[in-house]
Amino acid sequence: MTDSSRTVAVLGTGIMGAAMARNLARAGHTVRAWNRTRAKAEPLAADGAQVTATPAEAVRDADVVLTMLFDGDTVLEVMREAAPAAAQGAAWVQSTTSGLRSVGEHAALAGEHGLLFYDAPVLGTRQPAEAGQLTVLAAGPAEGRDAVTPVFEAVGARTVWTGDDGAAATATRLKLVTNSWVVAATAATGEALALAKGLGVDPQGFFDLISGGPLDMGYLHAKAALILQDGLLPASFAVTTAEKDARLIVEAGREHGVRLDVAAASAERFARAAAQGHADEDMAAAYYASFEGEAGAHPRQTTSRQS
Ligand code: NAP
């Protein structure tokens, strides 16, 4: 153990949590990993993580508890079970993308159990998470920063501090604004490609037209490639998770007197794509929400139904 090594409990080892736990273990931290579906956490044992049966067991001797679950309510449920077992003064890094109401609930729960609460959502998807190149947006008390900084350094390339009061949700506010851009860009990519297909326009003609100009963007090419080259599985960011985020963004806007039509329509597109069988695919699969019936199913699914 070096001065910077910590005992870190990772609660939630999905796409993001598993990658973060792995990088923590590889950086020399002692990692206790818990996941509802234990089989998804088991491979982390090969990286030196200890897989626990309960969240309480994971947090018992942790310096830092990292939550990376589906949404704010899931975090509350899991941490209500785990927090009583955590040491007073341990840091809780809450990285799940949550709504503003949830951040307040999490901070209150942390207060009840003497935990130092860090509102710490991340930017970056599967590949940056696996490479330890996330951007961590963080707000939380100065007194625990020495404890959490080595954790942020293991999972991310950059930490952006937005304040010293996690309960104020300044990091989550910035995250929701950024994800409103992600959701809009994803919807715009899917609709442009769907329209191109409907009108018989070669997408390459569209890409060539905007190439190098202010309308061009790397994200368009990344998401378009997933759609056009059958790369929607495994997801970097699943349709269901994107729907959750779009709804959080709409709700946050509504609570602050801001109407967000694009995010609301995007939530409906994600919901429709999920109902068409694309729930676990990358959110780029919202493209299929533009089509009815068989055309809205993934080509792979259509093939298997016909065979
Ligand atoms: P994911 O792969 O779907 O993982 C979700 C995790 O939540 C899994 O560990 C899952 O457990 C757990 N979970 C869901 N419902 C639960 C419940 N009722 N009780 C206990 N555990 C439950 O999602 P992800 O992509 O890693 O995303 C995790 C969080 O990070 C989300 O808030 C997401 O918005 C955010 N995020 C994602 C990305 C990205 O690009 N993927 C980027 C930035 C932030 P099981 O394995 O048992 O289902």
Side-chain angles (χ1 to χ4, degrees):
M1 296 259 287
T2 63
D3 280 345
S4 64
S5 99
R6 305 279 178 267
T7 297
V8 187
V10 179
L11 306 182
T13 61
I15 295 171
M16 300 295 284
M20 294 163 87
R22 190 166 281 116
N23 283 322
L24 285 161
R26 288 179 181 168
H29 300 294
T30 299
V31 175
R32 315 240 190 273
W34 172 83
N35 196 55
R36 176 182 61 172
T37 308
R38 186 179 173 126
K40 283 200 212 162
E42 293 290 1
L44 294 167
D47 298 281
Q50 184 199 336
V51 179
T52 70
T54 65
E57 202 186 316
V59 307
R60 197 152 287 135
D61 63 347
D63 303 306
V64 179
V65 177
L66 170 66
T67 44
M68 198 50 169
L69 295 151
F70 178 68
D71 65 2
D73 287 345
T74 310
V75 170
L76 201 58
E77 187 186 323
V78 169
M79 280 302 283
R80 275 190 179 131
E81 188 184 335
Q88 289 271 324
W92 172 11
V93 171
Q94 203 312 93
S95 292
T96 310
T97 307
S98 313
L100 298 177
R101 169 187 56 81
S102 291
V103 178
E105 292 170 347
H106 300 155
L109 181 67
E112 285 166 29
H113 294 280
L115 305 177
L116 298 177
F117 180 70
Y118 292 82
D119 172 33
V122 298
L123 285 189
T125 189
R126 180 194 287 274
Q127 196 276 334
E130 288 174 352
Q133 296 289 311
L134 295 168
T135 297
V136 181
L137 312 179
E143 66 186 290
R145 288 197 188 179
D146 283 350
V148 300
T149 295
V151 171
F152 293 162
E153 286 174 351
V155 301
R158 181 177 169 218
T159 300
V160 177
W161 285 98
T162 61
D164 57 12
D165 178 11
T170 50
T172 284
R173 288 166 200 264
L174 179 56
K175 169 70 178 169
L176 293 177
V177 169
T178 308
N179 271 27
S180 78
W181 178 239
V182 171
V183 161
T186 302
T189 298
E191 289 204 347
L193 291 190
L195 185 62
K197 184 178 170 70
L199 302 187
V201 170
D202 181 353
Q204 193 57 48
F206 161 52
F207 300 145
D208 290 346
L209 193 61
I210 64 171
S211 179
L215 289 173
D216 203 355
M217 97 195 242
Y219 191 84
L220 163 69
H221 296 285
K223 290 298 175 194
L226 299 183
I227 297 165
L228 298 172
Q229 295 164 24
D230 193 14
L232 295 167
L233 284 172
S236 288
F237 189 136
V239 166
T240 308
T241 313
E243 180 192 345
K244 178 265 297 179
D245 279 10
R247 296 201 190 285
L248 290 178
I249 289 160
V250 172
E251 184 182 292
R254 190 187 305 120
E255 286 167 358
H256 290 79
V258 181
R259 179 174 165 162
L260 299 171
D261 296 322
V262 172
S266 298
E268 296 314 314
R269 287 179 66 80
F270 291 129
R272 203 155 67 241
Q276 288 168 312
H278 302 284
D280 296 332
E281 293 176 0
D282 191 88
M283 62 177 165
Y287 160 83
Y288 288 105
S290 288
F291 304 102
E292 304 282 348
E294 285 284 288
H298 191 279
R300 215 179 307 113
Q301 296 166 347
T302 311
T303 311
S304 65
R305 272 209 299 275
Q306 286 167 344
S307 60

